[in-house]
Amino acid sequence: MRAVIQRVKHASVTIDGEVKSCIEQGLLIFVGIEDADNSEDTEWLSKKIANLRIFDDESGVMNMSLTEIDGEALVVSQFTLHAMTKKGNRPSYIKASKPEIAIPLYDDFCKELGSRVGKEVKTGVFGADMKVRLLNDGPVTIWIDTKNRE
């Protein structure tokens, strides 16, 4: 499982001209799933993200987690995080899981993250053409791959 995490002042997902989800201060999380991913990956990644100390404390030091600031989370599925660009100029997405594998893991990840942060996680719609707006705070952008835990 791969995630790109952005610390935001606000973010939203629009589908067919209508806002599906929006958050204020918190994290916008793009998640890509591959066939090798499983429930262990969703648990590890949700725990890691919920506890990342990337929000400023009273001294302006990144020392607080999403839970500690009572922030919100917006999770957007993004198969392109598994793009392979080694050959040629057209990325290959062969490592990205098909919906029958990815959707249950995506749903589990969102539920697990919500449980860890103590509030509902907002989402996009898996496989939809989504327009994502955000105001990155910092900017702070972090990439995590559950296959590179060491």
Side-chain angles (χ1 to χ4, degrees):
M1 238 174 170
R2 290 185 178 162
V4 171
I5 301 143
Q6 295 189 317
R7 186 178 78 177
V8 298
K9 288 291 188 182
H10 57 83
S12 65
V13 173
T14 300
I15 302 169
D16 295 329
E18 301 217 7
V19 175
K20 156 69 166 100
S21 294
C22 61
I23 63 168
E24 292 304 317
Q25 183 180 27
L27 297 176
L28 171 61
I29 305 160
F30 295 100
V31 175
I33 298 167
E34 65 177 310
D35 288 349
D37 293 330
N38 58 41
S39 61
E40 185 179 309
D41 294 289
T42 63
E43 290 173 22
W44 183 86
L45 186 59
S46 64
K47 181 179 180 183
K48 177 63 83 174
I49 291 171
N51 293 307
L52 274 178
R53 294 175 12 191
I54 58 173
F55 292 93
D56 294 347
D57 63 16
E58 62 280 345
S59 300
V61 176
M62 284 196 281
N63 200 28
M64 298 184 75
S65 69
L66 184 63
T67 306
E68 292 170 316
I69 65 145
D70 195 32
E72 297 182 276
L74 172 57
V75 179
V76 176
S77 61
Q78 189 165 355
F79 73 93
T80 60
L81 291 179
H82 285 288
M84 294 177 9
T85 58
K86 214 171 194 176
K87 294 181 182 177
N89 294 315
R90 183 174 184 205
S92 168
Y93 304 106
I94 195 143
K95 283 189 72 176
S97 287
K98 301 289 186 249
E100 56 272 9
I101 293 171
I103 291 172
L105 287 171
Y106 171 79
D107 290 342
D108 289 349
F109 170 75
C110 293
K111 287 176 192 160
E112 182 74 26
L113 181 61
S115 174
R116 291 183 186 278
V117 298
K119 60 174 62 175
E120 177 189 4
V121 168
K122 307 289 179 69
T123 65
V125 174
F126 192 95
D129 180 17
M130 295 176 272
K131 308 304 180 210
V132 180
R133 287 183 177 247
L134 68 132
L135 179 58
N136 193 316
D137 181 17
V140 174
T141 302
I142 297 173
W143 180 82
I144 299 175
D145 190 323
T146 61
K147 303 305 184 254
N148 295 324
R149 295 180 200 183
E150 303 293 316

